[in-house]
Amino acid sequence: MSVYATELFTGKTVLITGASSGIGRAFAQRAAAHGARLVLVARRAAVLAELATELQTRHDSQVHVIPCDLAIPGAGTQLHDEVVAAGLEVDILVNNAGVGAHGDLVAARAADVVAQIQLNVTALAELTTLFLPAMTARRQGTVINIASTAAFQAIPHMAVYGATKAFVLSFTRALWAETKATGVRVIAVCPGATDTEFFDIAGEAASVGRRRSPGDVVDTALRALHRHRPSVVDGISNAAVAMISPRLPARVAIGAAERSVRPTAG
């Protein structure tokens, strides 16, 4: 896997959203270890600063920290403008920031639903649209969009989250085809349950199956990028479920998904 990481990251500038923890942090650590310059984006400035210090100390990395809440409309454009103003040329964009809520829509706050869509869908599409033209002009670059196994079927009790990840998967696969002749690589990475802070918000009932590590997800992404795949599911059992679910009758697939994340009593 180090060969793939060296090929992808060495000498490149990598912008990672949601970089303060989980999969984003794992991407940052891997990229720094293989000689990348980093632009780390997340809401928590103090946590980002600690991570930047760690990477600078351990790997002598160049790290630019931009605290930013991408759930705020227009934040993606502001982030892009700040990166350009700093003279940074992004070679690899990792759209990792995302959030999921567990519970029925009838009990949700409309503002929370809108913020979830803004972060998971709008900011991702906004950043991709803003950074892609410079990549295609240079005829090189990489866009890694973090989707989810939730993208492959409707998820009762997580209806908005599943729908946002279905957008990410479809959007990214289409973009893969659009960019095939441009020298830019594009991929949607679909983790299942992963050992991250995601479940601090979504709750334990939203976790299905054995959790894989953020490092596992990075490994899967690197392998699939090397093979020029439009999308990849992390983990053999997750891949099997993702393959089978769309082939089942809709009522069967939805019913199975509902039972797997049904809120626990009490």
Side-chain angles (χ1 to χ4, degrees):
M1 202 58 56
S2 61
V3 174
Y4 299 158
T6 299
E7 172 198 343
L8 180 64
F9 293 127
T10 301
K12 300 297 195 304
T13 298
V14 185
L15 189 155
I16 305 168
T17 68
S20 59
S21 65
I23 295 169
R25 189 183 186 95
F27 265 108
Q29 291 168 331
R30 191 71 59 88
H34 290 273
R37 296 174 294 273
L38 298 174
V39 182
L40 305 181
V41 181
R43 291 178 304 162
R44 297 179 293 181
V47 178
L48 279 182
E50 290 176 5
L51 176 58
T53 299
E54 172 194 325
L55 298 178
Q56 288 163 344
T57 301
R58 182 174 299 176
H59 303 295
D60 195 27
S61 303
Q62 298 178 40
V63 184
H64 192 90
V65 169
I66 304 180
C68 179
D69 185 355
L70 291 168
I72 298 173
T77 296
Q78 293 177 11
L79 171 59
H80 173 264
D81 292 348
E82 184 169 343
V83 169
V84 171
L88 299 168
E89 192 173 79
V90 173
D91 301 295
I92 301 168
L93 172 63
V94 183
N95 281 311
N96 167 72
V99 68
H102 187 233
D104 290 355
L105 188 68
V106 69
R109 293 175 62 248
D112 293 337
V113 170
V114 171
Q116 187 176 176
I117 295 170
Q118 167 65 34
L119 179 59
N120 294 6
V121 171
T122 306
L124 178 145
E126 184 179 17
L127 289 172
T128 302
T129 303
L130 290 167
F131 283 105
L132 184 62
M135 293 183 185
T136 57
R138 297 192 301 269
R139 299 196 64 79
Q140 64 174 7
T142 303
V143 178
I144 302 170
N145 290 334
I146 305 302
S148 168
T149 52
F152 293 93
Q153 67 283 305
I155 309 290
H157 315 302
M158 299 185 74
V160 176
Y161 178 75
T164 64
K165 293 304 183 178
F167 172 91
V168 174
L169 180 60
S170 177
F171 170 76
T172 309
R173 283 173 164 175
L175 190 60
W176 172 86
E178 291 181 9
T179 57
K180 274 183 13 177
T182 69
V184 176
R185 291 184 288 184
V186 176
I187 191 168
V189 181
C190 302
T194 308
D195 192 15
T196 70
E197 294 179 1
F198 176 89
F199 297 104
D200 293 346
I201 297 172
E204 292 300 318
S207 180
V208 179
R210 184 181 69 84
R211 294 187 192 178
R212 287 172 59 81
S213 74
D216 290 334
V217 177
V218 175
D219 288 343
T220 296
L222 294 178
R223 276 193 300 267
L225 270 172
H226 183 74
R227 296 167 184 167
H228 299 280
R229 295 179 59 180
S231 61
V232 65
V233 177
D234 176 56
I236 295 173
S237 60
N238 292 329
V241 171
M243 181 179 66
I244 293 168
S245 292
R247 292 168 170 77
L248 295 174
R251 287 188 298 178
V252 174
I254 293 168
E258 188 278 330
R259 288 189 294 275
S260 68
V261 297
R262 182 180 296 166
T264 55

